[in-house]
Amino acid sequence: MSDSRQGARQTAWQLSVNTDSIKLTKGITNSWQSMKTTSDASRITYNGKPLQPFTKYYWRVQVWDKNGKSVVSPVAAFETGLMKTNWHGAWISDNHDPDMKPAPYFRKTFGLTKKVVSARAYIAVAGLYELYINGEKIGDHRLDPMYTRFDRRTLYVTYDVTKQLQSGKNAVGVLLGNGWYNHQSTAVWYFHKAPWRNRPAFCLDLRITYDDGSVETVTSNTSWKTSHSPIIFNSIYTAEHYDARLEQPGWSTPNFIDTAWKGVFARQAPSMNIVSQAMQPIRAIEKIPAQSIKKLDDKTYLFDIGRNISGVSSITVKGEAGTVIRLKHAEKLGKNGYADQSNIDIHYRPTDDKDPFQTDIFILSGKGEETFMPRFNYKGFQYVEVSSDRPIELAKESLYGYFMHSDVEQVGTITSSSTMLDKIWQATNASYLSNFFGYPTDCPQREKNGWTGDAHIASETGLYNFDGITIYEKWMADHRDEQQPNGVLPSIIPSNGWGYEWGNGPDWTSTVAIIPWNLYLFYGDSKALADNYEAIKKYADHIDELYPTGLTTWGLGDWVPVKSVTPVEFTSTAYYFADVTILAKAARLFKRSDDQKHYEQLALKIKNAFNAKYLDKASGIYDKGFQTEQSVPLFWGLAPDTLKHKIASALADAVKHADNHLDVGILGTKAILSALSDNGYADVAYAIASQETFPSWGWWIKKGATTLYENWNIDADDALSLNHIMFGEIGAWYFKGLGGIKPDPELPGFKRVILTPNFVDKLGHFEAEHTGPYGKIVSSWKRTNGVIIYSVVIPANSAARIYFPAGKQAILNGKWLNTVKGLDIEAGSYVFELR
């Protein structure tokens, strides 16, 4: 609802669905016409006639506002895919073994004699692909389909290709890449030994509807032909090698002569579970020009794109045929000024020198100016060292970087009077996006693994800033694919089998509960929670069986601490408690009363055992009083309500004793800022967050960081990727701890916004905006002549409850307010004075 009035709300709704858009505008429906429903609900599940496959449905909604006045939306549309229909095509490949290096081309010609009304290409791939029709690449996606556990779930992608078809002869072409399916590079995770590994294959249905109502499907089958492409090697992990001398111009056009091409072979499907890729795709989002070029020697140039990104580079160059150009990508430079990969190649285990790490190889055809950009790979880098075996001339404009990631819409913005705060927020978002590739990763260079701990730590940061629900829903399905019958999950997801024996445990694999719960809080959508309910239950039950006392030692602990080391049992038990608490809340939501009672009792047992062992009630100190030990129980709800102030006071003292610096690992980093700001110590939290000396986020920025690092110590020998997200909680804390924007678990999806702003002394201005399901929420404050002006915008059909900091008195429209128990406001814009 676009209604900015105070108290704006929806009083009723009515949905209409039709397969004919013109009839729909006339009020005629053939699929679903709901009743006019008195309700302010905005998430409605389709409840009409059963949806049919391959069908476009048009819909619109009519809503009534607080005065009973109605407004009708424009007509929108959705289209169904294959649903439960069979594929017509067969899975085909070129019958080479998995070790064959060149990427294969495939092509098929077909004729059209009738007028085409619509055409859809449905393609499922084991590996990666690009689809072409009549010489034109279809779509702007990169690295499709998204990575899954290939032998358990295969994704297909749909394209509207109506405009690409022509009367008469047509051609469809497919280029296949390896991706994670056929991992030929060797590293510590043994993806080259994955149980599903094989030569890439695909299945395609090109469904064409004619003006006479008839339908024809052009399919993948053994009538197709195949040949090697100029991509002579491709690895999602390392790089791509391209020999332009092997190009076959026009290979996907109708009149290309393919007599030298070979026949194809039918292949077994990688899995029988082939489902639509219902998520935002990866795209090359931003083209970044080189900021500088430096000639290092006669055959070597160094390009700096000015910031650390995930993605690829493109180069345009002219030279002799056979000239070999190497593009080495790195995050930092060595003392000699050359690209240095020593911080990111430590997990690579090459068997020879033919697959250099993060180094594309481009062999020139000699046919004038040539451009190369990898198709089936991405890297993490800021610098590109370009070397050649023969002299070439390059300019700054010869090379560009392309920032790639899942194309999720930005929904959160932070601005403040602190340049450092703003830079940390930008760096955090850059790291988050650099690690969002159809699943959340730890880093875009040396691993690209879906580390579970990194992901749940960063999930709130992601959800405050980006509309990432479709990526997380897909990744939760990956969790269900990977879960063992006993409930155990691996530490990296998807996995080839690595990680069931190391790195998992509740402090990491709590993703199974935490992320569905966060999706429920941010979107008001319980589907991911419902889909994962049995998986969470199985997981919690397994821990209960292994650790009947309520205390568990299963886990990695507070990873990469500054100095103080918190016991693994301490942090793992806290996450075990978090999982069981979420499970009890989900049971309540889904009206599973027996489960609710059982898991509430289990949560209480864990809490009591934890506090009995670790809490000194007299002092409010947990264990040795380390920052992680004081903050984690406050953040996850283990701290007794009556002792929270005492525990928080001890935490604040510990921070001050460290001269307002952090002394935590990643689990403590997740908890400490909110533990302080939620318990009366926002100024102490801000002192940490705004710190500019070691160890701190600001220290990284001062040293030139444009993304977040893997270690507080930037001189660490290892564990120093320069683009990690595991310390990224600060990006969420800006919204929670300064702007105070929080979802209400009782009315999730920001149906009711909880506002707990903190007007910290050292900031003159702060503004947080978040667009949730109901619209834009704004929490903004500034200091003017000793008075705090606090501005709030709550979208239509939502409401808010404001809790002002203790000691602040609020004035609205010249009237003093009683805010001791919180202030409830309706939708609209408000300006408060606080004295």
Side-chain angles (χ1 to χ4, degrees):
M1 291 178 67
S2 182
D3 187 345
S4 60
R5 296 173 297 170
Q6 287 195 358
R9 61 189 175 92
Q10 170 191 304
T11 56
W13 60 268
Q14 185 171 29
L15 273 163
S16 307
V17 185
N18 198 316
T19 53
D20 186 317
S21 61
I22 295 174
K23 288 182 178 178
L24 182 66
T25 60
K26 295 178 180 178
I28 302 170
T29 59
N30 66 358
S31 301
W32 186 33
Q33 173 76 67
S34 74
M35 302 291 291
K36 178 183 176 182
T37 306
T38 302
S39 166
D40 63 359
S42 64
R43 289 191 64 260
I44 307 301
T45 301
Y46 176 84
N47 194 29
K49 294 179 181 177
L51 298 172
Q52 301 303 306
F54 311 119
T55 305
K56 191 167 189 176
Y57 291 88
Y58 299 90
W59 67 281
R60 67 179 184 179
V61 61
Q62 184 172 6
V63 295
W64 284 262
D65 70 7
K66 66 177 184 174
N67 297 328
K69 181 182 177 182
S70 73
V71 60
V72 180
S73 74
V75 173
F78 65 88
E79 186 172 322
T80 52
L82 282 83
M83 299 179 74
K84 296 189 182 299
T85 59
N86 285 335
W87 286 75
H88 290 265
W91 282 84
I92 59 172
S93 187
D94 64 359
N95 209 39
H96 286 296
D97 67 45
D99 294 323
M100 173 60 70
K101 296 293 190 287
Y105 279 148
F106 298 84
R107 61 176 269 116
K108 163 79 175 176
T109 58
F110 58 96
L112 296 177
T113 58
K114 301 181 193 178
K115 184 178 179 182
V116 175
V117 173
S118 70
R120 300 289 185 267
Y122 304 93
I123 182 168
V125 177
L128 300 173
Y129 73 92
E130 287 187 348
L131 173 67
Y132 294 80
I133 293 180
N134 295 329
E136 179 182 342
K137 180 182 180 293
I138 305 303
D140 60 357
H141 298 191
R142 305 273 298 178
L143 304 180
D144 264 348
M146 300 298 102
Y147 175 27
T148 58
R149 175 67 191 255
F150 296 102
D151 52 359
R152 294 176 186 168
R153 186 163 47 102
T154 308
L155 301 180
Y156 77 87
V157 183
T158 306
Y159 299 95
D160 180 350
V161 295
T162 310
K163 293 179 180 178
Q164 281 76 26
L165 297 182
Q166 61 192 25
S167 180
K169 193 176 182 182
N170 289 260
V172 56
V174 175
L175 169 64
L176 293 185
N178 288 323
W180 292 100
Y181 180 68
N182 185 34
H183 207 277
Q184 295 177 327
S185 300
T186 49
V188 296
W189 302 280
Y190 301 105
F191 277 98
H192 62 291
K193 295 183 178 180
W196 59 69
R197 189 183 163 204
N198 208 335
R199 182 75 166 159
F202 74 98
C203 180
L204 179 138
D205 280 1
L206 175 53
R207 191 175 190 272
I208 305 166
T209 304
Y210 298 110
D211 62 350
D212 62 3
S214 62
V215 174
E216 179 183 3
T217 305
V218 177
T219 70
S220 50
N221 54 40
T222 52
S223 68
W224 286 55
K225 301 188 80 173
T226 185
S227 172
H228 287 333
S229 76
I231 300 174
I232 56 176
F233 174 78
N234 69 97
S235 167
I236 191 73
Y237 182 67
T238 56
E240 192 163 304
H241 307 168
Y242 187 91
D243 189 343
R245 298 171 299 180
L246 304 177
E247 288 177 343
Q248 301 185 54
W251 69 274
S252 61
T253 59
N255 297 321
F256 177 79
I257 298 171
D258 59 11
T259 51
W261 286 37
K262 309 292 186 184
V264 302
F265 293 81
R267 262 267 299 279
Q268 181 182 4
S271 80
M272 296 304 291
N273 183 24
I274 303 173
V275 296
S276 176
Q277 181 172 289
M279 59 193 296
Q280 291 106 321
I282 297 167
R283 290 188 173 98
I285 303 298
E286 186 181 356
K287 182 179 180 180
I288 305 170
Q291 299 298 301
S292 67
I293 180 176
K294 185 181 292 183
K295 193 167 185 177
L296 301 178
D297 57 48
D298 287 345
K299 297 179 181 178
T300 309
Y301 294 82
L302 183 80
F303 291 86
D304 178 0
I305 64 166
R307 56 191 171 103
N308 202 335
I309 64 167
S310 60
V312 296
S313 63
S314 72
I315 189 169
T316 301
V317 62
K318 189 175 182 180
E320 297 177 23
T323 300
V324 179
I325 297 173
R326 292 173 173 249
L327 296 96
K328 181 179 181 179
H329 298 73
E331 292 189 317
K332 66 176 187 173
L333 301 179
K335 292 179 181 178
N336 60 1
Y338 285 73
D340 180 5
Q341 295 181 340
S342 61
N343 67 315
I344 57 171
D345 64 1
I346 61 173
H347 297 309
Y348 186 32
R349 302 292 183 268
T351 57
D352 55 37
D353 60 356
K354 294 181 174 59
D355 179 15
F357 189 67
Q358 288 215 149
T359 303
D360 294 323
I361 298 176
F362 179 31
I363 304 173
L364 301 186
S365 69
K367 298 176 181 177
E369 196 169 72
E370 306 175 58
T371 298
F372 166 72
M373 178 175 169
R375 291 172 167 87
F376 300 128
N377 166 266
Y378 77 97
K379 309 164 188 74
F381 67 100
Q382 177 174 337
Y383 303 97
V384 185
E385 180 186 300
V386 180
S387 59
S388 59
D389 64 350
R390 305 175 200 179
I392 55 173
E393 289 297 324
L394 297 175
K396 192 169 75 167
E397 295 74 27
S398 300
L399 185 135
Y400 287 87
Y402 287 83
F403 190 11
M404 286 167 51
H405 53 78
S406 290
D407 190 8
V408 288
E409 181 183 357
Q410 185 166 341
V411 295
T413 305
I414 293 295
T415 55
S416 78
S417 56
S418 166
T419 302
M420 179 57 75
L421 184 153
D422 293 355
K423 284 183 177 180
I424 293 171
W425 174 70
Q426 290 161 3
T428 303
N429 281 356
S431 279
Y432 180 80
L433 292 174
S434 295
N435 286 289
F436 222 43
F437 274 76
Y439 64 108
T441 65
D442 59 332
C443 55
Q445 3 71 5
R446 74 185 191 202
E447 295 196 39
K448 300 182 173 75
N449 281 323
W451 278 98
T452 47
D454 304 50
H456 71 65
I457 284 169
S459 60
E460 285 182 278
T461 289
L463 293 173
Y464 272 113
N465 286 287
F466 301 100
D467 180 15
I469 186 172
T470 61
I471 313 299
Y472 284 122
E473 286 179 329
K474 176 265 181 188
W475 198 48
M476 288 300 102
D478 294 333
H479 278 61
R480 298 190 293 277
D481 287 344
E482 297 287 9
Q483 190 171 38
Q484 299 273 25
N486 64 0
V488 173
L489 289 155
S491 50
I492 60 171
I493 296 175
S495 174
N496 63 338
W498 191 95
Y500 287 99
E501 77 297 334
W502 188 87
N504 55 350
D507 52 355
W508 252 242
T509 41
S510 284
T511 42
V512 72
I514 290 172
I515 287 179
W517 180 250
N518 282 342
L519 294 179
Y520 174 63
L521 291 179
F522 276 78
Y523 290 89
D525 185 348
S526 62
K527 187 177 188 303
L529 203 55
D531 289 347
N532 258 39
Y533 184 85
E534 292 301 327
I536 304 167
K537 187 176 176 181
K538 198 181 295 185
Y539 186 59
D541 288 349
H542 184 63
I543 303 173
D544 188 25
E545 291 168 2
L546 292 176
Y547 300 93
T549 64
L551 300 174
T552 174
T553 56
W554 183 21
L556 278 181
D558 196 20
W559 198 247
V560 196
V562 178
K563 297 192 301 282
S564 303
V565 179
T566 297
V568 171
E569 183 183 71
F570 191 99
T571 47
S572 285
T573 299
Y575 277 91
Y576 174 33
F577 173 78
D579 295 341
V580 173
T581 301
I582 288 169
L583 185 53
K585 291 175 180 176
R588 176 189 169 208
L589 179 66
F590 302 135
K591 295 180 169 55
R592 300 178 67 154
S593 55
D594 289 347
D595 278 0
Q596 180 186 347
K597 182 179 179 181
H598 173 72
Y599 292 110
E600 284 176 346
Q601 290 174 345
L602 178 56
L604 183 61
K605 182 176 86 169
I606 298 167
K607 184 175 185 176
N608 289 340
F610 180 86
N611 287 325
K613 179 167 184 178
Y614 287 108
L615 176 61
D616 181 334
K617 293 181 180 180
S619 64
I621 291 177
Y622 278 98
D623 199 38
K624 297 181 180 64
F626 296 153
Q627 291 180 16
T628 293
E629 294 170 343
Q630 293 303 112
S631 58
V632 163
L634 286 168
F635 184 83
W636 289 112
L638 283 153
D641 289 342
T642 57
L643 295 177
K644 281 184 178 178
H645 179 73
K646 189 178 286 188
I647 295 164
S649 177
L651 172 60
D653 288 343
V655 172
K656 291 170 185 174
H657 184 70
D659 196 22
N660 290 330
H661 284 77
L662 291 160
D663 183 16
V664 290
I666 66 172
L667 303 181
T669 304
K670 175 66 183 177
I672 189 168
L673 297 177
S674 288
L676 288 164
S677 59
D678 287 350
N679 293 283
Y681 292 95
D683 283 332
V684 178
Y686 183 72
I688 294 172
S690 60
Q691 193 61 254
E692 297 184 5
T693 54
F694 172 82
S696 67
W697 293 276
W699 171 240
W700 292 337
I701 301 298
K702 282 284 189 181
K703 293 295 183 178
T706 58
T707 45
L708 304 187
Y709 291 177
E710 188 187 7
N711 198 316
W712 296 117
N713 179 9
I714 62 175
D715 297 317
D717 291 334
D718 60 5
L720 194 60
S721 146
L722 304 187
N723 197 347
H724 250 66
I725 190 55
M726 65 187 193
F727 287 114
E729 164 65 11
I730 191 169
W733 179 77
Y734 290 149
F735 290 87
K736 296 184 292 184
L738 295 177
I741 299 174
K742 300 172 185 174
D744 186 342
E746 296 303 316
L747 291 169
F750 298 99
K751 179 65 176 171
R752 181 166 61 202
V753 184
I754 301 297
L755 291 173
T756 59
N758 284 299
F759 315 117
V760 295
D761 292 338
K762 293 184 179 180
L763 265 185
H765 162 69
F766 182 83
E767 181 170 314
E769 292 184 1
H770 172 74
T771 300
Y774 295 92
K776 184 180 287 186
I777 302 158
V778 180
S779 176
S780 174
W781 51 267
K782 62 182 178 180
R783 299 180 188 281
T784 305
N785 299 324
V787 175
I788 295 168
I789 306 298
Y790 179 50
S791 302
V792 174
V793 178
I794 301 299
N797 211 26
S798 182
R801 179 168 293 163
I802 308 175
Y803 296 95
F804 292 112
K808 296 292 182 184
Q809 291 185 302
I811 303 170
L812 179 64
N813 299 326
K815 296 181 180 179
W816 292 92
L817 304 173
N818 182 357
T819 61
V820 174
K821 294 183 179 180
L823 177 68
D824 287 321
I825 59 172
E826 299 177 305
S829 299
Y830 301 83
V831 179
F832 299 90
E833 286 184 28
L834 288 113
R835 299 178 184 270

